[in-house]
Amino acid sequence: MTATDNDSNNDLSSTPAQEHRWSGRLILWAVVLTLANVLADLAIGSPMMVLPQLLEHFDTDQAAWLGASAMLAGAIWSPLLARSADLFGLRRILIGTLLLACAGALICFTAPNVWVFLAGRFLQGAAFASIFITVALARRICAPRVAMALIGLVTSGSSVVGVVEPFVMEPVIDRFGFRSVFLLAALLAVVAAVCVRAVVPEAPVRATGRVDVGGALLLGGGLAAVLAYVSLGSELGLLSGAALALLTAGAAGLVGWVYFARRVRDPIIDLRALSRPILLTLLALVLAAGSFRSMLQLTSIIAQVPADLGLGYGLGDGEAVAVLLATPNLGIVVGGTLAGWVAGRYGPALPLLIGIALGAVATFGMLAGVSSLPVALGCGALVGMAAGAIGASGYNLATGTEAPERQGTTAGLVSVVLAVGSVLFSFTGAEILKATRLPGRSESAVEGVYGYVGMAAALFALAAIPATALLLRHGRRRGQSSRGAARLGEQVTRERWR
């Protein structure tokens, strides 16, 4: 029995697969699902392209709130939408998510003040759910081997937008104004919703039960408050009253969710059902996501530091930023696509570990890349490939061990963990740079930059531990299946000779 056969047999899905091989219809599904995920990238990143104009228009200095609001809203939406998708249909909830994001973008487009704008961003944050819903859809409408490759495409293909977005959006903004990014996001959401409705089939298996709205609000609100403290703490002051109130509220929400999740009949996430492989996967993802996101943040920072300052690092005056940010996006597409293909043949644990190892090598290479543009570009491409492989493999690992009626919820949990790791360790890296800032300067000492790189490398090394355990577990299961198949073959042979 091959590794592929093992993966298929070990998948807990009892859903009758509609697609066992690649076809024109499946390629069309992949394009439409990727389009839905493009909206998530645009919804999260759209204010960053026009942040100075937004600050001036709304007469505010709260840049962090304007930038992070959609991701924080996504943390609130995710548990509720993930469970709803399992209960009421993945395609139906995906369409609803896209329409919510459309409404939010239109509110942002017409917002007369910053509070209305933030309300629009709250609705726009629902687009965050499109990623894990498309993953669960891929699992249910395709055979396991095909689904893994499709997940690699839909989770990484949207990064192509990151390559062309700055070059396409800049003339649009110049021609139609900074608010045009929100109008474009609204139009894209409508197009994606129509395409999903017309092209993608509904998943045939649904869960039974109810939506634990209280649990969803406790979990989502608690996560959002903690992430707000982490991402906005440096601006508010880590020990300020507002920051401590966010942290306290977040901790209380999460504690309350854990308490009730163990007592209600149908919790939003059944903690008792989280198996060891899923927990190992989530641990590897939170560490690895924190590492590659923090490295992307560092790259954008050092790209704007002139090399002639003599600090020991620096890649220019900002002219290299577009290229340095486009390169990892290309790497994400390549890494995610290859990881899906490899997972379909050898299981997702192998590409996860390869992605983590690749990220570690690229991170160590940035010790030289902080002062050399060619090295930085090469390392950025490798970090992007690592990010694509880690994301696709994480979704494949977590959803592949779940029953079909829980795959949406589990995929949502993966998305939340990736966001938590990204925010937590990007903030930690920023604090390292702040602690080593040169007196009277905005730049940090080279020791701080090296410490930042060291932190990211250590995270990759730690992520390799649970990833290795997952690979070894897969090898043991493969060996057990092979021995079982051999025994069955011997028994059949004996029966024939009789």
Side-chain angles (χ1 to χ4, degrees):
M1 184 176 291
T2 65
T4 302
D5 293 331
N6 290 336
D7 292 335
S8 300
N9 290 339
N10 289 332
D11 192 291
L12 298 180
S13 173
S14 60
T15 304
Q18 296 181 353
E19 293 293 322
H20 291 269
R21 62 180 61 86
W22 284 92
S23 62
R25 181 172 64 169
L26 184 55
I27 292 173
L28 183 59
W29 291 353
V31 171
V32 171
L33 293 178
T34 301
L35 176 61
N37 287 338
V38 166
L39 175 65
D41 288 346
L42 190 60
I44 299 298
S46 53
M48 305 312 296
M49 293 181 285
V50 292
L51 190 56
Q53 296 95 317
L54 286 171
L55 294 173
E56 181 180 356
H57 178 77
F58 292 122
D59 191 22
T60 180
D61 59 355
Q62 298 298 318
W65 281 112
L66 296 182
S69 52
M71 179 170 286
L72 298 177
I76 298 175
W77 281 110
S78 292
L80 182 63
L81 292 174
R83 180 59 178 161
S84 298
D86 282 335
L87 289 173
F88 305 118
L90 291 164
R91 187 183 68 168
R92 178 182 298 177
I93 298 302
L94 178 57
I95 293 171
T97 295
L98 295 170
L99 295 179
L100 272 176
C102 174
L106 290 176
I107 291 173
C108 291
F109 178 69
T110 59
N113 57 60
V114 69
W115 298 110
V116 176
F117 178 83
L118 290 176
R121 291 294 284 166
F122 176 78
L123 292 179
Q124 218 182 354
F128 187 74
S130 67
I131 300 173
F132 60 78
I133 294 178
T134 57
V135 167
L137 260 173
R139 270 286 177 187
R140 294 198 200 175
I141 62 181
C142 298
R145 177 173 175 174
V146 177
M148 290 183 188
L150 180 58
I151 288 171
L153 281 175
V154 301
T155 57
S156 61
S158 59
S159 294
V160 173
V161 176
V163 179
V164 301
E165 186 177 45
F167 306 101
V168 173
M169 289 305 300
E170 186 174 345
V172 172
I173 294 169
D174 292 340
R175 177 73 181 274
F176 300 103
F178 69 93
R179 292 195 178 196
S180 59
V181 298
F182 299 104
L183 184 59
L184 179 62
L187 292 174
L188 179 63
V190 172
V191 171
V194 171
C195 290
V196 170
R197 178 65 181 83
V199 173
V200 180
E202 181 59 274
V205 176
R206 296 183 189 177
T208 58
R210 64 181 185 88
V211 178
D212 179 17
V213 177
L217 292 177
L218 284 173
L219 175 58
L223 284 172
V226 171
L227 290 177
Y229 172 80
V230 171
S231 59
L232 308 175
S234 58
E235 183 170 321
L236 298 174
L238 291 176
L239 299 179
S240 68
L244 291 177
L246 281 173
L247 181 61
T248 302
L254 293 176
V255 170
W257 166 67
V258 171
Y259 177 82
F260 288 109
R262 293 179 175 275
R263 286 161 176 78
V264 299
R265 181 177 181 181
D266 195 15
I268 197 74
I269 295 176
D270 190 352
L271 297 175
R272 292 160 293 191
L274 293 178
S275 61
R276 185 169 179 267
I278 292 179
L279 293 175
L280 287 173
T281 301
L282 297 178
L283 177 59
L285 291 179
V286 73
L287 294 170
S291 186
F292 68 68
R293 288 298 178 190
S294 62
M295 286 305 298
L296 295 178
Q297 175 179 268
L298 178 65
T299 300
S300 66
I301 292 173
I302 63 175
Q304 303 179 60
V305 177
D308 56 11
L309 290 180
L311 299 176
Y313 69 94
L315 299 174
D317 294 306
E319 66 275 3
V321 173
V323 177
L324 284 167
L325 294 181
T327 302
N329 280 309
L330 285 174
I332 289 173
V333 176
V334 174
T337 303
L338 289 177
W341 181 83
V342 173
R345 286 153 178 78
Y346 307 103
L350 178 61
L352 175 65
L353 185 57
I354 291 175
I356 291 172
L358 194 63
V361 170
T363 301
F364 278 115
M366 277 301 292
L367 292 173
V370 295
S371 57
S372 171
L373 181 58
V375 176
L377 287 172
C379 291
L382 292 178
V383 168
M385 291 180 65
I390 290 166
S393 301
Y395 282 113
N396 276 323
L397 269 168
T399 58
T401 57
E402 284 284 24
E405 63 270 15
R406 291 199 303 268
Q407 286 173 344
T409 300
T410 302
L413 187 58
V414 170
S415 286
V416 170
V417 165
L418 289 172
V420 169
S422 299
V423 173
L424 178 62
F425 294 111
S426 293
F427 170 79
T428 303
E431 289 300 304
I432 292 175
L433 295 180
K434 183 187 295 185
T436 57
R437 188 171 295 167
L438 295 170
R441 303 280 295 273
S442 60
E443 297 87 8
S444 300
V446 68
E447 291 80 9
V449 175
Y450 288 156
Y452 191 124
V453 174
M455 176 204 72
L459 290 174
F460 271 128
L462 290 172
I465 298 174
T468 301
L470 287 166
L471 184 61
L472 292 175
R473 179 181 180 277
H474 172 75
R476 288 194 297 269
R477 292 178 64 188
R478 180 181 177 183
Q480 291 169 359
S481 298
S482 298
R483 289 192 294 272
R487 287 195 295 268
L488 180 60
E490 292 174 358
Q491 182 179 353
V492 170
T493 301
R494 287 195 298 269
E495 290 295 330
R496 286 177 178 176
W497 279 106
R498 288 176 185 175

